[in-house]
Amino acid sequence: MADIFLSYSRTDKPRVAPLVAALEAKGWSVWWDMELVPGVDFDSVTAAALKSVRAVVVVWTATSVASRWVRGEARVGADRGVLVPVRFENAELPIDVRAIHTTDFDEWGGDPNSSAFQKLAQSLTALFRGAAPVAAPPATTELKLPSKPSLAVMPFANLSGDPEQEYFADGMVEEIVSALTRFKSLFVIASGSTLSFKGKAVSPQEAARVLGVRYILEGSARRAAGRVRIAVKLSDATDGSQIWSERFEDTLEDVFALQDRVADSVAGIIEPTIETAEIRRISKRLTEDMSSYDLFLRAQLLWRTLSSHQVGEALDLLTRAIALDPDFGLALAAAARCRYLMHTFGWSSDIDGNRRQGIELAQQALKAASDDAWVVAVCAGVLSVLERDFASAVALVDKAISLNSGSAYVWMVSGAVRLIAGVIEPAIEHLERSIRLDPMGPDSPRAASWVAMARFQQRRFVEAVALSKECLQRGNIPTAFACLVSSYGQLGNSHDALEALARYNALTSQPIEVFAQNVFGNPEHLRLFLDGIAAAQGNQTGSTIER
C-alpha cells in the first residue's frame, strides 16, 4: 500500500497534481486518484487505504472544506495521528483538526525547493520516523478559571464555500454571545476576543486556556439554495468531552431574525446544560470546603427533587452560602424558593414562619440582583403565592423576560404566575415556550404540570389527566397528582381520583384544599378545582392509575 493518502476535492485536481509529482519525486508513493476495477466498492477500497497508509495529507481549499468526504478522511487521519494538512486560499480550517499544524501553500507554484514544500517534506519525514505530527504553537498565557461556569464561543466555520458568507458565520457568533450574556450565572467571553482566533491554528482546548474558560462552544454555518444549516457543539475544555450538540436548519427569508432565533435557542439550552454539568462536577468532590456558588449549585440539585427532606437539606446549604456572601442574589432567591415550597406543601410545622421568611428572602434577593432574570423570576413566583399580589408578580416576571427572553425557566415561571393570577391563554403560551426551549431539562416536567392545570381550567379534563401522567413519568410532582385528583373527580372516576389523592398525601402534609387556595387566585378557578376534589370523594368507580 502507498505511503501517503492524498485527500482533496476533485475540482482542485489541477493544483494537486504538481504536489503529487513533488511527493513522488521524494521517493514516496501516493494514493490519490486510483482507477478502480469495475465492480469494486469505492468506499471499502478508500477505507482500506486510509487504514494502511503511513500519512494522510489533506489539501484544504474553500471547496474541500465543504466536502464531507474530505473532512471525513481528515478525521480518520487525525484519529490515527497521521494527519499532515496543507492549505491553499487561506481556507478556514475545520474546527476538529485545528490542533494539527497546517502548512500554507498559497504562494506555492509547484517548486519542490520552495520553503512551503520543504516544510511539508520535513513533517512527513518526521512522521515516518515515528515522531508525532507537529502541533499548533502552545498558548503562552493561561488565565485562572472564574468561580462560576465560564464559556467561550469560538469562530464558526463557514462551510458555504463562499467567502462573502463569512459575515453570516461571524454574526452568528456575536448573536449567541449576546444571548448568553443575559444569563448572569455564566461568565461569557466577549465575541471580539474569540473572533481574534479566526483563521489561526489553535485548538479549542488551547483557546480555552488562553481565555481562562472551562466550556467551549464550536459551530459551523452552511448557506445554500435559500436555506441555512447551523451545527453547534458544547464541550468541556478540561478533558475535551462533548456535553451537547444540535443542528438548526431554516430558510433565509430574514437572516437577522434567523440569527436571533438560533441564538435564543442555543443560549436557552446551553445555560441549563452547563448548570447540570457543573452540578455533576462538584458532586464528585470529597471536600466540604466549598465556595458560596458551589453550595448554591449543590442545593439546586436537591430542591428540584421536590422532596421534603432534600428541600430541607438544600435550605441548609443555601444558609451556608448566604453566610459566606450575604449579598449573593442567587442563593437568596433559592432560599426564598425553598421557604415557598415548605409553606405550599406543608413541609414544616411553622407555616407562617416560612411564609414570612420567604417574603423577606425574596425582597433581599431583588435588592441584591435586580438585573438577574433568574433571580427576578424566582422572586415573582414566590411572591405570587406568599403575598398574593398578582399584579406585582406579573410585572416582575415581565421584567425577567425583558432581561432574558431565552431562558426556559423564566418562561415557565411567567406561565405559572399568570395561571395563578387567572390569565389562562397567555399562561399556556408561555409554558409551552418554556418546554420548547428546554424540552428535556429538569424543569420541563414542572412546566408540563402547570400546562395540565391550565387545561383543567379550560375544562379539558381528559387532556389534563394525560399531561399529568406524562410529567409524573419523570418525577413525583405534587402539583401533577393534585391535578389528577380534581380531573378524575370531574370525570366521575372516583377510584383513580382517590388513588391519586393518596399519592399526593404521601408527598405533602398540606391538605389538597389548602394547596388549591395557594395555587388559584381566581375564585371561579378555585371553585372548579374544589368541585373536582369534592366529586372525587363521591362514588368509588373507575380504573387504576396507569404507572
Side-chain angles (χ1 to χ4, degrees):
M1 188 54 70
D3 296 310
I4 299 168
F5 182 105
L6 194 96
S7 178
Y8 69 103
S9 170
R10 286 300 178 115
T11 58
D12 297 321
K13 187 174 180 179
R15 69 172 50 166
V16 168
L19 177 59
V20 172
L23 291 170
E24 291 179 336
K26 294 284 291 183
W28 295 318
S29 56
V30 181
W31 197 102
W32 75 295
D33 197 29
M34 309 295 289
E35 292 187 4
L36 297 177
V37 177
V40 174
D41 180 51
F42 179 78
D43 287 344
S44 62
V45 173
T46 301
L50 281 168
K51 290 180 181 179
S52 59
V53 293
R54 301 165 65 194
V56 175
V57 173
V58 173
V59 179
W60 292 123
T61 65
T63 306
S64 67
V65 166
S67 167
R68 66 187 181 95
W69 303 110
V70 176
R71 292 166 68 96
E73 290 162 0
R75 185 67 264 167
V76 172
D79 289 344
R80 288 189 55 206
V82 296
L83 178 63
V84 183
V86 299
R87 173 169 62 176
F88 289 90
E89 305 169 355
N90 197 30
E92 181 76 13
L93 298 176
I95 291 173
D96 52 356
V97 295
R98 291 180 185 174
I100 305 299
H101 177 71
T102 302
T103 303
D104 284 321
F105 265 55
D106 279 338
E107 305 300 324
W108 191 63
D111 182 4
N113 297 315
S114 68
S115 60
F117 183 81
Q118 290 302 314
K119 288 178 182 178
L120 172 61
Q122 289 170 9
S123 294
L124 289 169
T125 300
L127 178 62
F128 294 158
R129 290 175 178 171
V134 180
T140 57
T141 305
E142 185 171 341
L143 300 176
K144 183 179 179 181
L145 289 175
S147 59
K148 58 184 179 180
S150 48
L151 170 71
V153 183
M154 298 304 291
F156 276 29
N158 172 25
L159 304 184
S160 303
D162 180 3
E164 294 297 322
Q165 303 306 328
E166 287 293 330
Y167 80 92
F168 180 82
D170 293 347
M172 199 69 258
V173 171
E174 293 174 355
E175 289 297 327
I176 291 176
V177 168
S178 177
L180 284 168
T181 55
R182 301 173 198 158
F183 292 92
K184 303 301 181 183
S185 60
L186 297 178
F187 179 94
V188 184
I189 296 295
S191 58
S193 292
T194 55
L195 287 174
S196 68
F197 287 91
K198 186 174 180 178
K200 297 181 180 178
V202 178
S203 72
Q205 287 73 26
E206 290 168 333
R209 287 193 292 272
V210 171
L211 297 170
V213 297
R214 180 180 297 277
Y215 299 100
I216 288 289
L217 182 71
E218 304 166 75
S220 63
R222 182 196 300 273
R223 294 180 59 175
R227 297 187 65 82
V228 62
R229 175 178 293 175
I230 299 168
V232 290
K233 178 179 73 172
L234 179 68
S235 302
D236 185 333
T238 58
D239 59 12
S241 61
Q242 180 173 313
I243 300 174
W244 167 81
S245 65
E246 187 59 86
R247 180 178 293 175
F248 302 87
E249 187 167 351
D250 208 335
T251 62
L252 280 170
E253 295 176 359
D254 188 333
V255 170
F256 300 112
L258 173 62
Q259 287 181 336
D260 287 342
R261 287 198 302 273
V262 173
D264 277 350
S265 297
V266 170
I269 294 172
I270 283 178
E271 192 267 347
T273 300
I274 287 182
E275 183 180 89
T276 300
E278 286 287 293
I279 289 172
R280 289 174 180 166
R281 182 177 61 83
I282 66 169
S283 295
K284 296 177 181 179
R285 295 182 182 174
L286 299 178
T287 178
E288 288 299 316
D289 181 19
M290 300 172 65
S291 70
S292 183
Y293 188 79
D294 284 356
L295 288 166
F296 162 76
L297 285 177
R298 183 168 288 185
Q300 186 157 260
L301 180 65
L302 294 171
W303 86 63
R304 278 178 169 166
T305 64
L306 293 181
S307 158
S308 59
H309 177 69
Q310 291 184 310
V311 169
E313 288 184 359
L315 185 57
D316 289 340
L317 290 171
L318 292 166
T319 300
R320 289 170 53 193
I322 294 168
L324 290 172
D325 183 357
D327 294 322
F328 186 13
L330 293 174
L332 289 164
R337 174 162 176 73
C338 288
R339 293 290 183 185
Y340 149 82
L341 291 172
M342 296 172 77
H343 169 272
T344 302
F345 296 122
W347 288 338
S348 169
S349 58
D350 188 5
I351 300 297
D352 289 338
N354 278 310
R355 176 182 176 276
R356 184 180 63 257
Q357 292 178 66
I359 292 172
E360 291 175 357
L361 286 163
Q363 291 172 342
Q364 292 174 37
L366 289 172
K367 289 180 181 178
S370 61
D371 62 342
D372 187 301
W374 187 88
V375 168
V376 175
V378 168
C379 294
V382 168
L383 295 175
S384 69
V385 172
L386 301 187
E387 279 195 329
R388 313 299 287 175
D389 184 351
F390 304 128
S392 295
V394 170
L396 276 175
V397 84
D398 283 346
K399 177 182 178 180
I401 291 173
S402 69
L403 289 169
N404 189 354
S405 61
S407 169
Y409 182 84
V410 166
W411 287 106
M412 180 189 72
V413 176
S414 178
V417 167
R418 282 171 164 79
L419 181 60
I420 292 171
V423 188
I424 303 299
E425 294 297 337
I428 293 174
E429 179 185 340
H430 289 200
L431 290 165
E432 290 181 341
R433 182 162 184 174
S434 170
I435 295 170
R436 180 66 184 88
L437 281 170
D438 190 17
M440 300 305 296
D443 290 319
S444 60
R446 290 174 48 222
S449 73
W450 285 108
V451 175
M453 282 289 197
R455 295 305 183 198
F456 175 90
Q457 291 303 334
Q458 293 177 321
R459 297 179 180 270
R460 294 159 66 170
F461 305 125
V462 173
E463 286 185 51
V465 167
L467 283 167
S468 297
K469 287 182 178 180
E470 183 179 328
C471 54
L472 286 171
Q473 291 176 357
R474 295 180 59 190
N476 287 326
I477 302 173
T479 304
F481 280 121
C483 188
L484 276 181
V485 173
S486 194
S487 298
Y488 276 134
Q490 292 286 357
L491 292 169
N493 186 345
S494 182
H495 183 281
D496 280 357
L498 292 176
E499 184 174 345
L501 180 59
R503 296 174 72 176
Y504 167 86
N505 289 332
L507 295 174
T508 170
S509 58
Q510 187 78 283
I512 193 169
E513 294 83 1
V514 177
F515 167 80
Q517 291 169 6
N518 286 330
V519 169
F520 297 108
N522 183 300
E524 292 183 10
H525 294 169
L526 175 60
R527 174 49 53 194
L528 181 66
F529 200 81
L530 292 176
D531 286 347
I533 295 171
Q537 298 170 347
N539 298 325
Q540 297 196 29
T541 60
S543 59
T544 303
I545 293 178
E546 295 178 11
R547 291 177 172 81

